[in-house]
Amino acid sequence: MGESATFANQILVSTSVISAAFALTLASVGIGTPQWQINTINTTYGEILIVNTANFFYACRYNLAGEILECGERIRNRSISSYYRINTTGDEDQWNLHLNTAAGFSIIGLILIFIATVAIIFMFFGEKHQWIYLVTPVLLFVACLFMLAALAEGSQVLFSNGYSAYLYRVGHLLTIFSLLVNSIVAGRMFQYELLSKPSQNVKNQLYKIVV
């Protein structure tokens, strides 16, 4: 593999790590801000005012000036019907179960993206850390699954009509893009490692990565 191909691999690795970093940032802001679901009212003057917002962790109420009046956290108050404007049917135990699961999945997804982002950096030194070619795509793939599961569980209770949900979705798409690019470059770099050492067979190389 020539210098041009090596440079192309570096570009792909850089693209993957930058995409993962942006995905981590956007998804973190998405689940950390309250405007996942936005409830509004129409005034007699034709204005649309936000009266309530919510995410997986807490909900907030607003006054007519658009200022936050109060916020309620589910970890402190499990009677969420008193401060959540839920757009679904069911009981509070079921709502809390879905929101707990969504919150847990989203946090696990963020942790996996962070670990994957750090691991991708080691791909620049793949000759010494060949195991990284297998680890990074797997981490990103599992992160995508957890993020998707969080969206699915959250949709059982909340509408995704606020900017927080949009940021999280963009973060999910960037994670998928990073996975695609990383899988391509990991295969290219692993193939180069095999071809550059003809004295060792494929079985030994695979064993070295796994072990």
Coordinates of all heavy atoms in Angstrom, one line a residue, residues 133-172:
Y133 N -8.7 -2.5 15.2 CA -9.5 -2.6 14.0 C -10.8 -3.3 14.2 O -11.7 -3.1 13.4 CB -8.7 -3.4 12.9 CG -7.3 -2.7 12.6 CD1 -6.2 -3.5 12.3 CD2 -7.2 -1.3 12.5 CE1 -5.0 -2.9 12.0 CE2 -6.0 -0.7 12.2 CZ -4.9 -1.5 12.0 OH -3.7 -0.9 11.7
L134 N -10.9 -4.2 15.2 CA -12.1 -4.9 15.5 C -12.9 -4.2 16.5 O -14.2 -4.1 16.4 CB -11.8 -6.3 15.9 CG -13.0 -7.2 16.4 CD1 -13.9 -7.4 15.2 CD2 -12.5 -8.5 17.0
V135 N -12.3 -3.6 17.5 CA -13.0 -3.0 18.6 C -13.8 -1.7 18.2 O -14.9 -1.6 18.6 CB -12.0 -2.6 19.7 CG1 -12.6 -1.8 20.8 CG2 -11.4 -3.9 20.3
T136 N -13.2 -0.8 17.5 CA -13.8 0.4 17.2 C -15.2 0.3 16.4 O -16.2 0.9 16.8 CB -12.9 1.4 16.4 OG1 -12.3 0.7 15.3 CG2 -11.8 1.9 17.3
P137 N -15.2 -0.5 15.3 CA -16.5 -0.7 14.7 C -17.6 -1.4 15.6 O -18.7 -1.0 15.5 CB -16.2 -1.6 13.5 CG -14.7 -1.5 13.2 CD -14.1 -1.3 14.6
V138 N -17.1 -2.3 16.4 CA -18.1 -2.9 17.3 C -18.7 -2.0 18.3 O -19.9 -1.9 18.6 CB -17.4 -4.1 18.0 CG1 -18.3 -4.7 19.1 CG2 -17.1 -5.2 17.1
L139 N -17.8 -1.1 18.9 CA -18.3 -0.1 19.8 C -19.3 0.9 19.2 O -20.3 1.2 19.8 CB -17.1 0.7 20.4 CG -16.2 0.0 21.4 CD1 -14.9 0.8 21.7 CD2 -16.9 -0.3 22.7
L140 N -19.0 1.3 18.0 CA -19.9 2.2 17.3 C -21.2 1.6 17.0 O -22.2 2.2 17.1 CB -19.2 2.8 16.1 CG -18.0 3.8 16.3 CD1 -17.3 4.1 15.0 CD2 -18.6 5.1 16.9
F141 N -21.1 0.3 16.6 CA -22.3 -0.4 16.2 C -23.2 -0.6 17.4 O -24.4 -0.3 17.3 CB -22.0 -1.8 15.6 CG -23.1 -2.6 15.3 CD1 -24.0 -2.4 14.2 CD2 -23.5 -3.7 16.1 CE1 -25.1 -3.2 14.0 CE2 -24.5 -4.5 15.8 CZ -25.4 -4.2 14.8
V142 N -22.6 -1.0 18.5 CA -23.4 -1.2 19.8 C -24.0 0.2 20.2 O -25.1 0.3 20.7 CB -22.6 -1.9 20.8 CG1 -23.4 -2.0 22.1 CG2 -22.1 -3.2 20.4
A143 N -23.2 1.2 20.1 CA -23.7 2.6 20.5 C -24.9 3.0 19.7 O -25.9 3.5 20.2 CB -22.6 3.6 20.3
C144 N -24.9 2.7 18.4 CA -26.0 3.0 17.5 C -27.3 2.2 18.0 O -28.4 2.8 18.0 CB -25.7 2.6 16.0 SG -24.5 3.7 15.2
L145 N -27.1 1.0 18.4 CA -28.2 0.2 18.8 C -28.8 0.8 20.1 O -30.1 0.9 20.2 CB -27.8 -1.3 19.1 CG -27.4 -2.1 17.8 CD1 -27.1 -3.5 18.3 CD2 -28.5 -2.1 16.8
F146 N -28.0 1.2 21.0 CA -28.5 1.7 22.3 C -29.2 3.1 22.0 O -30.2 3.4 22.7 CB -27.4 1.9 23.3 CG -27.1 0.6 24.1 CD1 -26.0 -0.2 23.8 CD2 -27.9 0.3 25.2 CE1 -25.8 -1.3 24.6 CE2 -27.7 -0.8 25.9 CZ -26.6 -1.6 25.6
M147 N -28.6 3.9 21.2 CA -29.2 5.2 20.9 C -30.6 5.0 20.2 O -31.6 5.7 20.5 CB -28.3 6.0 20.0 CG -27.0 6.4 20.6 SD -25.9 7.4 19.5 CE -26.8 8.9 19.5
L148 N -30.7 4.0 19.3 CA -32.0 3.7 18.6 C -33.0 3.2 19.6 O -34.2 3.6 19.6 CB -31.8 2.7 17.5 CG -33.0 2.4 16.7 CD1 -33.6 3.6 16.0 CD2 -32.6 1.3 15.7
A149 N -32.5 2.3 20.6 CA -33.4 1.8 21.6 C -33.9 2.9 22.5 O -35.1 2.9 22.9 CB -32.7 0.8 22.4
A150 N -33.1 3.9 22.8 CA -33.5 5.1 23.6 C -34.6 5.8 22.9 O -35.6 6.3 23.5 CB -32.3 6.0 23.9
L151 N -34.4 6.1 21.6 CA -35.5 6.8 20.8 C -36.8 6.0 20.8 O -37.9 6.6 21.0 CB -35.0 7.0 19.4 CG -33.9 8.0 19.2 CD1 -33.4 7.9 17.7 CD2 -34.4 9.4 19.5
A152 N -36.7 4.7 20.7 CA -37.9 3.8 20.6 C -38.6 3.9 22.0 O -39.8 4.0 22.0 CB -37.5 2.4 20.3
E153 N -37.9 3.7 23.1 CA -38.5 3.8 24.4 C -39.1 5.1 24.7 O -40.2 5.2 25.3 CB -37.5 3.3 25.5 CG -37.2 1.9 25.5 CD -38.5 1.1 26.0 OE1 -39.1 1.5 27.0 OE2 -38.8 0.1 25.4
G154 N -38.3 6.2 24.4 CA -38.8 7.5 24.7 C -40.1 7.9 23.9 O -40.9 8.6 24.4
S155 N -40.2 7.3 22.7 CA -41.4 7.6 21.9 C -42.6 7.0 22.5 O -43.7 7.3 22.0 CB -41.2 7.2 20.5 OG -41.1 5.7 20.4
Q156 N -42.5 6.1 23.4 CA -43.7 5.5 24.0 C -44.4 6.5 25.0 O -45.5 6.3 25.3 CB -43.3 4.3 24.9 CG -42.6 3.1 24.1 CD -43.6 2.5 23.1 OE1 -44.8 2.3 23.4 NE2 -43.1 2.2 21.9
V157 N -43.6 7.5 25.4 CA -44.2 8.5 26.3 C -44.2 9.9 25.8 O -45.2 10.6 25.9 CB -43.4 8.5 27.6 CG1 -44.0 9.5 28.6 CG2 -43.4 7.1 28.2
L158 N -43.1 10.3 25.1 CA -42.9 11.7 24.7 C -43.0 11.8 23.2 O -42.5 10.9 22.5 CB -41.6 12.3 25.2 CG -41.4 12.3 26.8 CD1 -40.0 12.8 27.1 CD2 -42.5 13.1 27.4
F159 N -43.5 13.0 22.7 CA -43.3 13.3 21.3 C -41.9 13.9 21.1 O -41.4 14.6 22.0 CB -44.4 14.4 20.9 CG -45.7 13.8 20.7 CD1 -46.9 14.5 21.0 CD2 -45.9 12.6 20.1 CE1 -48.1 14.0 20.8 CE2 -47.2 12.0 19.9 CZ -48.3 12.8 20.3
S160 N -41.3 13.7 20.0 CA -40.0 14.2 19.7 C -40.2 15.4 18.8 O -39.8 15.4 17.6 CB -39.1 13.1 19.0 OG -39.0 12.0 19.9
N161 N -40.7 16.5 19.3 CA -40.9 17.7 18.5 C -40.1 18.9 18.9 O -40.4 20.0 18.4 CB -42.4 18.0 18.5 CG -42.9 18.4 19.9 OD1 -42.2 18.1 20.9 ND2 -44.1 19.0 20.0
G162 N -39.1 18.7 19.7 CA -38.3 19.9 20.2 C -36.9 19.7 19.6 O -36.4 18.7 19.1
Y163 N -36.1 20.8 19.8 CA -34.7 20.8 19.3 C -33.8 19.8 20.0 O -32.9 19.3 19.4 CB -34.1 22.2 19.4 CG -33.7 22.6 20.8 CD1 -32.4 22.3 21.3 CD2 -34.5 23.4 21.6 CE1 -32.1 22.6 22.6 CE2 -34.1 23.8 22.9 CZ -32.9 23.4 23.3 OH -32.5 23.8 24.6
S164 N -34.1 19.5 21.2 CA -33.3 18.4 21.9 C -33.4 17.1 21.2 O -32.4 16.4 21.0 CB -33.8 18.3 23.4 OG -33.7 19.5 24.1
A165 N -34.6 16.7 20.8 CA -34.7 15.4 20.1 C -34.1 15.5 18.7 O -33.5 14.5 18.3 CB -36.2 15.1 19.9
Y166 N -34.2 16.6 18.1 CA -33.5 16.8 16.8 C -32.0 16.7 16.9 O -31.4 16.0 16.0 CB -33.9 18.1 16.1 CG -35.4 18.3 15.9 CD1 -36.0 19.5 16.0 CD2 -36.2 17.2 15.6 CE1 -37.4 19.7 15.8 CE2 -37.6 17.3 15.4 CZ -38.2 18.6 15.5 OH -39.5 18.7 15.3
L167 N -31.4 17.3 17.9 CA -30.0 17.2 18.1 C -29.6 15.8 18.3 O -28.6 15.3 17.8 CB -29.6 18.1 19.3 CG -29.6 19.6 19.0 CD1 -29.2 20.3 20.3 CD2 -28.7 20.0 17.9
Y168 N -30.4 15.1 19.1 CA -30.0 13.7 19.5 C -30.1 12.8 18.2 O -29.3 11.9 18.0 CB -31.0 13.1 20.5 CG -30.6 11.8 21.0 CD1 -29.7 11.6 22.1 CD2 -31.2 10.6 20.5 CE1 -29.4 10.4 22.6 CE2 -30.9 9.4 21.0 CZ -30.0 9.2 22.0 OH -29.7 8.0 22.5
R169 N -31.1 13.1 17.4 CA -31.3 12.3 16.1 C -30.1 12.5 15.2 O -29.6 11.6 14.5 CB -32.6 12.6 15.4 CG -33.8 12.1 16.1 CD -35.1 12.6 15.5 NE -36.2 11.9 16.0 CZ -37.5 12.3 15.7 NH1 -37.7 13.2 14.8 NH2 -38.5 11.7 16.2
V170 N -29.7 13.8 15.1 CA -28.5 14.1 14.2 C -27.3 13.4 14.8 O -26.4 12.9 14.0 CB -28.3 15.6 14.1 CG1 -27.0 15.9 13.4 CG2 -29.4 16.3 13.4
G171 N -27.1 13.4 16.1 CA -26.0 12.7 16.7 C -26.1 11.2 16.4 O -25.0 10.6 16.2
H172 N -27.3 10.6 16.4 CA -27.4 9.2 16.0 C -27.0 9.0 14.6 O -26.3 8.0 14.2 CB -28.9 8.8 16.2 CG -29.1 7.3 16.0 ND1 -30.2 6.9 15.3 CD2 -28.3 6.2 16.3 CE1 -30.1 5.5 15.2 NE2 -29.0 5.1 15.8

